[in-house]
Amino acid sequence: MDESSLKSLLDGVRSGATGVDEALEKLRDLPFEDLGFARLDNHRSLRTGVAEVLFAPGKTLQQLKSLVEHSVESNAAVLVTRIEGEPARELLGDYPFLRHDPQARILSYRASPLATREGYVAVVTAGTADLSVAREAALTLEFLGDRVEQLSDVGVAGLHRLLPGLKLLRGARAVIVVAGMEGALASVVGGLIDRPVIAVPTSVGYGASFGGLSALLGMLNSCSAGVAVVNIDNGFGAACFAHLV
Amino acid sequence: MDESSLKSLLDGVRSGATGVDEALEKLRDLPFEDLGFARLDNHRSLRTGVAEVLFAPGKTLQQLKSLVEHSVESNAAVLVTRIEGEPARELLGDYPFLRHDPQARILSYRASPLATREGYVAVVTAGTADLSVAREAALTLEFLGDRVEQLSDVGVAGLHRLLPGLKLLRGARAVIVVAGMEGALASVVGGLIDRPVIAVPTSVGYGASFGGLSALLGMLNSCSAGVAVVNIDNGFGAACFAHLV
Amino acid sequence: MDESSLKSLLDGVRSGATGVDEALEKLRDLPFEDLGFARLDNHRSLRTGVAEVLFAPGKTLQQLKSLVEHSVESNAAVLVTRIEGEPARELLGDYPFLRHDPQARILSYRASPLATREGYVAVVTAGTADLSVAREAALTLEFLGDRVEQLSDVGVAGLHRLLPGLKLLRGARAVIVVAGMEGALASVVGGLIDRPVIAVPTSVGYGASFGGLSALLGMLNSCSAGVAVVNIDNGFGAACFAHLV
Amino acid sequence: MDESSLKSLLDGVRSGATGVDEALEKLRDLPFEDLGFARLDNHRSLRTGVAEVLFAPGKTLQQLKSLVEHSVESNAAVLVTRIEGEPARELLGDYPFLRHDPQARILSYRASPLATREGYVAVVTAGTADLSVAREAALTLEFLGDRVEQLSDVGVAGLHRLLPGLKLLRGARAVIVVAGMEGALASVVGGLIDRPVIAVPTSVGYGASFGGLSALLGMLNSCSAGVAVVNIDNGFGAACFAHLV
Amino acid sequence: MDESSLKSLLDGVRSGATGVDEALEKLRDLPFEDLGFARLDNHRSLRTGVAEVLFAPGKTLQQLKSLVEHSVESNAAVLVTRIEGEPARELLGDYPFLRHDPQARILSYRASPLATREGYVAVVTAGTADLSVAREAALTLEFLGDRVEQLSDVGVAGLHRLLPGLKLLRGARAVIVVAGMEGALASVVGGLIDRPVIAVPTSVGYGASFGGLSALLGMLNSCSAGVAVVNIDNGFGAACFAHLV
Amino acid sequence: MDESSLKSLLDGVRSGATGVDEALEKLRDLPFEDLGFARLDNHRSLRTGVAEVLFAPGKTLQQLKSLVEHSVESNAAVLVTRIEGEPARELLGDYPFLRHDPQARILSYRASPLATREGYVAVVTAGTADLSVAREAALTLEFLGDRVEQLSDVGVAGLHRLLPGLKLLRGARAVIVVAGMEGALASVVGGLIDRPVIAVPTSVGYGASFGGLSALLGMLNSCSAGVAVVNIDNGFGAACFAHLV
Amino acid sequence: MDESSLKSLLDGVRSGATGVDEALEKLRDLPFEDLGFARLDNHRSLRTGVAEVLFAPGKTLQQLKSLVEHSVESNAAVLVTRIEGEPARELLGDYPFLRHDPQARILSYRASPLATREGYVAVVTAGTADLSVAREAALTLEFLGDRVEQLSDVGVAGLHRLLPGLKLLRGARAVIVVAGMEGALASVVGGLIDRPVIAVPTSVGYGASFGGLSALLGMLNSCSAGVAVVNIDNGFGAACFAHLV
Amino acid sequence: MDESSLKSLLDGVRSGATGVDEALEKLRDLPFEDLGFARLDNHRSLRTGVAEVLFAPGKTLQQLKSLVEHSVESNAAVLVTRIEGEPARELLGDYPFLRHDPQARILSYRASPLATREGYVAVVTAGTADLSVAREAALTLEFLGDRVEQLSDVGVAGLHRLLPGLKLLRGARAVIVVAGMEGALASVVGGLIDRPVIAVPTSVGYGASFGGLSALLGMLNSCSAGVAVVNIDNGFGAACFAHLV
């Protein structure tokens, strides 16, 4: 029940066209959920840019198509994550206005660009193999209207490569650190700057990296204050978080 | 080597008092680390309030005393975390100006209060037993000059208790959610607001909570975007992160 | 040894045709297991509908065929779970009266429908990707003669979508909650209704979801009383349990 | 906002005392949460008996006292779980009408007994050391107005001890199986009866029992349909679930 | 119902004192479990020496006393495992005929010694700290009438100490290998002899030994055929198994 | 250096053909390892039947061929485990006298059958899907000259199917129990018989069975004495152990 | 800023061509990182042979090609690890001077061989299936100018095969032990020699080997002093470590 | 059997006093183990300094006393690790020449100092709480005749504190890095120097540090080549390894 229906109801009460008991009945039945929905919907509009995101895995091509269509119609924008290969090609075939980034595994479209926010988010990677996750973060941020600066291949095995980028990191609104293996880069960056560090462990590694668990634990136990962690390989989540900062 | 010494050196070169080779030698030996230290030190001063924190466990009483003394002298402030019982009493005996909060297990002192930052951080707890960690976060934030609003005992088993607090949460600069057991509160809060949610899993629970592991995994796998996680029971870390946002 | 044989034996003793010692011998050898079997068999007939279920993985096509045939003959019904692709097609070819549901991965047949039980079981899913497990539960319940109501895509990231369904949930005999990632939906539902909640963690997720472990642990640690848990992805087990409630 | 206030408001609109816009404003601000709270409160009253339970660990004696007092006043009943030693003695001293069961670690009081529900719940234990958890379940059930039948020390190492109790188990509304070590009893019972089996793994055992993890995993992987599991040592949770069945 | 009662019943049928239907009724009610019990009891008597063992942890002193008393009366023997300190002293006070071994944490008594079995079981330990578990195994074996030969402190860090004992090991009916840390001794012994090796991982170690998990996994993955494993620190279980070989 | 060479040496010393110092030199250089090898070789010959076993995974086809050839030549027998598909077909092509069992994934050959040992080993399986591992055990035992009796599909979900087989189990020299999921069958069997039970957890199951870990832990924590465990799916290892009993 | 530029700057100050303030400005801006880089670069040249190693997984063919090209140009040498199949063939096609070892999955090239270091590193393997990892270690060592001696198939299941190689092991500068399953070989070797043992757990095994975890834990808990461990399957890392010894 | 006995034997053969068969018999019985023992014993004397170390936990005071006494007598030196409190005081009372270091938990004695080896081992710690483990390593090294240089409190949260120590690290024969929490310091040090880095994870930390597991995994997954790891808190093991380098 939106506000104008509510106003009509009250107008009816006022004019006598609707009895008080009848109105009371309608209000009593006023679905909890609809009121809730309305309020949450307002809230949702505040989060424009996050709402129309689709996580592709586990969805059928048919479901994806109808969700893309619906999102493009309602929001004039859509972001599909973790999509590649055949499904990506199919969607690109049907909706040629979509842009596909194979490394980030992202399909996106926005009719008119958002006003770019002030400042930027820095996205730092430890190794070449972390680039896919970093790019997912970067493209998500850009889709949400954030500016991104990337700093690549600055893992702790060659710390000297990180130091020239400190100025860039210190100027950022937030810093996303993407690292696999032991994930030490998050601690090192966290100890060098005073910006919030959002750490993304990646499943890069082998053996005792246990699919990213080692990097995850390393980042959670960071001895540097100012580091928080998202799920393994979750570049999208890190971007959303950084966007809200 | 600070800037004035450097200037003296160059003046000496200019005047001929110092030979080019001699200067070169001095500059070559210019300790990498000292330059680094200087820069980092500047940086450290930017992070005032975090620098003088002491993590008590594993330190002897003697070490704690000298560190407290040193920090009070240099920073006119000190924050000791995870301190209780005998060591707390001993320090309070020697430094009666310290304030001890037994629930938060924090000893703190600040000669002159920091200017309070605009806005506030909301600290939300799921159950009574999470209050100790929440209070560690809250006191740390206040020590750093942040204003804090707390919302307690709003776990998902009684969701209706959370809803009246939504306005408070939506108005915060950042929201810290402290929850043990399954940690579901972080996801629920993250789905209702558009502020960054910093989730602190606690070791509250028993059996398959495995000392906070369940809450930790739950929070990392949050289906709500905008949630990042710190270590189990790490109220201090969540506060530092929130402070940097 | 069934009751009529036993009576014959006693008649023989009575008439003198069978000596006491001979009878004693027969009774002493009375197979433990056969008596047991008889009793358990009665019991088994009480559970009609569960007995003829086949779990397909690890069985050869040949084994499946003969088991299906035997079950159809004895029970005029059969339910094969976790069956898809080639084996499903083969069985459908041979037994065209079977009905296959690819999403639920179930093959089923019942000659004459069971009388439908009073009331219904609600099956709730958090996300689109949980639908396969939910459908396994729903089809199993229907096969067992239960009525099912489904509520889909009401994960905690968008809690407002759950609220309109509360009435439906509160009217159910039991509620099955199917959720992956952090599995928080079970706690939330458990806190809102007073019906038994059977939680099914799913392997939906990535990274630190560890194949459903996070959802499983979350559900086991639910802060809501009235939640019990079955194995990861075990829609069938949840349905059997709900059927027995 | 309860119904009578709502009626007053509409009456004001009707009479013209309240303008439509003013009413609209009031309705728009109609707190989501209060409506929700009202509905949930109704719901809560349906769950009488579960609502006034206190989980003691992590609560201070002072908190416990005020919660007990409040619960006794509002509900004329209270159940405190996991309470023993000094805190139990303190509460008993202040509230001598409470009854304490040291094995179950439960303090309880109910002014006037609930009408006993028809049927009974069977509580089965594998070994002597599981009795504490079983008793927590039994006392909780009795507090909630359920009748309980116990069957003790019938672990699978001596299966013959279980068989005489089958009749009792088959007659129950639900069966709670409490077992540590490998937890096999739940599967065995589940295979013998057609009642819902609520399995409670206990932390009884040593070595590779890993604090109840082995029993938990064993129960989750039960090859018997009709078994669902609650948290390790969670006799209370099993009782609540059985109560709802 | 034992055999003589059964005979009386049949005699009654024979003489006409008991009607066939009445007898049938009695036989039909003949408890499944009692027949079972009888058979199992026979079986139990075959296992003399194992039946009267009590696992002390989790039992109250009162329970222990009555169980000891009962076992001594019925079996003229008793073995209590994992008992030390106060409870051991209490039991020794009441039953001075018991023998207590503090290292093995065993209380035992046997009125008249069993005939010693032919052959012997070898019990091998890796380090001094494994002796307690080894002694539990040795005393259990002796209680069961087995002869034991011990070989101590022959861990793989000093392999040369093992070699002189090979003859002893090769002559044994079975070999129990007790080892903590990496548990490699089981593999080494298994590779050198052709007797069944029963490996007991111990919780001896620290850090990544994870309470015996490393030794357990090492033993399970033994590259030597002929090695089977019991639970961590389970000297008693190894002894029972060796006794049955 | 075998015994006849040693004799020649001594004969040389005796005859004066070899000087004492020369002999001493030869003996001093007598390789530690060769002596050892000799002894171990004797030992190896005692274990005939185990020595010529090849574990196929990780070996190239070329390696397998030469090892098979060598083993057939030296031992007139060979047993290859875990071999299927292409490599099995290749070996069968080259060595048509080999016998392949696809379910057990075993290739075997023995020129002249071993004398069959007295008694038999019982191999029990919980479900149809455990048959492959059970067959690996059975064929290995037969290869080693043991007689095998199998009892299939007697999992604890239908305990009555196990009871008729008790006599068979009690008559065996040793019992191998093969079970996945919760592995409860090992405990149940161990509680019913007085023969050593060798438990083989299988990777059969899904979700929280974690590739056999649940069954493994369940079996290790068996509350029945007389149960020892081998690695997951290790039918071969169980057979070797049973053979040595 | 290298030394000659620095000298020019000082010369300019000396001559008056550069003002002190201007020089100060340049020195103040003297990038922390560049100085650092210079120092680290010197350091890097000391580690010649390690610097030009490429880890192939996660890199595109295009990236690999350009990195190989760059490394060959700068270092006249390159070592690519974990490369096989199509990418290996592609690189061999383009750079026919590369040498590919399929077992070690290594592509390498060195224009002029390094002077061979004195002494050698021994590489010991437990089983045939560990050879791939061992060869990665051996080829890496040879690439770095080390001499290698291999000892293969000397697992603890046949300890007598190890003993003849002891002399070789005791003569080595360092010993790399490559073993899967329970990884006991590292402890055994560590107990027999006084050279540093670098243990490489491999993922060889099945069931409870958990992808090398068992071997890893076994090696970390080695009861032999003088054993240190690298990541699972990390033959390259072991070689680098041994090279630095 | 030592060489002179062997010579006597051969002399006897030569002279005819001993028959060939008799000699053969003696040689055949020549204990494998004794020969082995002799050789290994020589080897043991090569490792002087490691052999006389006692690991205190799990040993009784009586055992410790006799072991200390024996070691002092045979080696004129002893090192007892992990000893503190009452046992330490008792041993100091009886053997006042022992030196106890409470932080390192080491009791040691050496009659005459070993010649100090050339070079030194650097021992680096991340935080104050790691000092105990570091000191165990340092004292062990000094006991073995190594010179030690310590660098303390240089964790990655304050990287600038590490840089001044680089020269010290680069000059060391080997570097031991002791760090808890995320253990990142090992990777950082490994990336900056070309000396072998022996990483010791410590159990310092809380929450998801899981008793040192996070640091352990971090160090094993180090992206820096040249890092090997010992067990959690195993300062002694790291020292032994460094000593052998």
Side-chain angles (χ1 to χ4, degrees), chain G residues 112-142:
Chain G
S112 50
L114 293 182
T116 302
R117 287 179 66 184
E118 216 178 332
Y120 60 90
V121 174
V123 178
V124 188
T125 48
T128 321
D130 302 314
L131 283 174
S132 163
V133 173
R135 194 152 175 79
E136 186 186 84
L139 290 192
T140 301
L141 280 163
E142 286 168 6

Side-chain angles (χ1 to χ4, degrees), chain D residues 156-157 159 181-182 184 187-188 191-192 206 208-210 214 217-218 220-224, chain F residues 156-157 159 181-182 184 187-188 191-192 206 208-210 214 217-218 220-224:
Chain D
V156 299
L159 208 59
M181 305 184 83
E182 85 281 59
S187 289
V188 169
L192 291 172
Y206 60 91
S209 79
F210 296 124
S214 291
L217 290 178
L220 283 167
N221 286 285
S222 174
C223 51
S224 304
Chain F
V156 298
L159 208 58
M181 305 184 84
E182 85 280 59
S187 288
V188 169
L192 292 171
Y206 59 91
S209 80
F210 296 123
S214 292
L217 290 178
L220 283 168
N221 286 285
S222 174
C223 51
S224 304

Side-chain angles (χ1 to χ4, degrees), chain H residues 4-227:
Chain H
S4 63
S5 325
L6 202 55
K7 190 168 182 311
S8 306
L9 180 70
L10 291 174
D11 284 337
V13 173
R14 171 69 152 212
S15 67
T18 309
V20 163
D21 284 352
E22 187 189 346
L24 198 56
E25 189 69 24
K26 281 192 176 160
L27 282 171
R28 196 195 301 120
D29 289 345
L30 183 72
F32 176 85
E33 49 274 15
D34 285 3
L35 251 192
F37 189 88
R39 292 180 57 138
L40 292 167
D41 214 25
N42 285 334
H43 159 238
R44 209 159 103 182
S45 66
L46 296 172
R47 300 175 69 183
T48 305
V50 179
E52 58 276 78
V53 175
L54 307 174
F55 181 69
K59 296 202 175 60
T60 64
L61 187 55
Q62 205 41 54
Q63 288 175 315
L64 283 172
K65 280 183 182 172
S66 88
L67 286 165
V68 163
E69 207 151 323
H70 179 269
S71 189
V72 168
E73 272 165 30
S74 342
N75 309 308
V78 71
L79 183 79
V80 190
T81 63
R82 302 278 168 107
I83 188 155
E84 50 191 338
E86 193 51 28
R89 276 189 296 273
E90 285 268 0
L91 285 173
L92 278 172
D94 284 20
Y95 310 97
F97 52 83
L98 293 172
R99 190 166 60 102
H100 187 235
D101 186 295
Q103 190 181 27
R105 296 176 296 164
I106 274 183
L107 266 174
S108 63
Y109 165 72
R110 188 179 288 288
S112 49
L114 295 181
T116 304
R117 288 179 65 185
E118 216 178 331
Y120 60 90
V121 174
V123 178
V124 188
T125 47
T128 319
D130 301 315
L131 283 174
S132 162
V133 174
R135 195 152 176 79
E136 185 185 83
L139 289 192
T140 301
L141 281 162
E142 286 169 8
F143 180 80
L144 299 174
D146 282 286
R147 195 153 61 79
V148 175
E149 297 285 345
Q150 279 194 261
L151 199 57
S152 298
D153 207 15
V154 294
V156 298
L159 207 59
H160 55 289
R161 291 178 305 207
L162 172 63
L163 303 182
L166 279 185
K167 195 167 190 175
L168 186 80
L169 300 183
R170 286 179 183 151
R173 204 172 70 237
V175 175
I176 293 174
V177 175
V178 182
M181 304 185 84
E182 86 280 58
L185 185 59
S187 288
V188 169
V189 169
L192 291 171
I193 68 173
D194 63 345
R195 306 307 311 138
V197 172
I198 303 150
V200 191
T202 68
S203 51
V204 168
Y206 59 93
S209 80
F210 296 123
L213 178 61
S214 291
L216 171 63
L217 291 177
M219 287 163 164
L220 282 167
N221 286 285
S222 173
C223 52
S224 304
V227 177

Side-chain angles (χ1 to χ4, degrees), chain E residues 20-86:
Chain E
V20 164
D21 283 353
E22 188 190 344
L24 197 55
E25 189 68 24
K26 280 191 177 161
L27 283 170
R28 194 193 302 121
D29 288 348
L30 184 72
F32 177 85
E33 50 275 12
D34 284 3
L35 252 192
F37 189 88
R39 291 182 57 137
L40 292 167
D41 214 24
N42 285 334
H43 159 237
R44 211 159 104 180
S45 67
L46 296 172
R47 301 175 69 183
T48 306
V50 179
E52 58 276 77
V53 175
L54 307 174
F55 182 69
K59 296 202 176 60
T60 65
L61 187 55
Q62 205 42 54
Q63 289 175 313
L64 283 172
K65 281 184 182 172
S66 88
L67 287 164
V68 163
E69 206 151 325
H70 180 269
S71 189
V72 168
E73 272 165 31
S74 341
N75 309 309
V78 71
L79 183 79
V80 191
T81 63
R82 303 277 166 108
I83 187 156
E84 50 190 338
E86 192 53 27

Side-chain angles (χ1 to χ4, degrees), chain D residues 20 36-37 53 90 94 104 118 124-125 127 148 168 185 189-190 193 202 238:
Chain D
V20 163
F37 190 86
V53 176
E90 285 267 1
D94 285 20
E118 218 177 329
V124 189
T125 47
V148 174
L168 186 81
L185 186 59
V189 169
I193 68 172
T202 68

Side-chain angles (χ1 to χ4, degrees), chain A residues 12-70:
Chain A
V13 172
R14 168 71 151 212
S15 67
T18 309
V20 164
D21 282 353
E22 187 189 345
L24 198 55
E25 188 69 24
K26 281 191 175 160
L27 282 170
R28 195 194 302 121
D29 289 348
L30 182 72
F32 177 86
E33 49 276 12
D34 284 5
L35 251 193
F37 190 86
R39 289 182 58 137
L40 291 168
D41 214 25
N42 284 335
H43 158 239
R44 211 160 102 180
S45 67
L46 296 173
R47 300 176 69 183
T48 306
V50 179
E52 58 275 75
V53 175
L54 307 174
F55 182 68
K59 298 201 174 60
T60 65
L61 187 55
Q62 207 39 56
Q63 288 175 314
L64 282 173
K65 280 185 182 173
S66 89
L67 286 165
V68 163
E69 205 151 326
H70 180 270

Side-chain angles (χ1 to χ4, degrees), chain D residues 82-100:
Chain D
R82 304 277 166 106
I83 187 156
E84 50 190 338
E86 192 53 27
R89 277 189 295 275
E90 285 267 1
L91 285 172
L92 278 172
D94 285 20
Y95 310 96
F97 51 82
L98 293 173
R99 190 167 62 102
H100 187 234

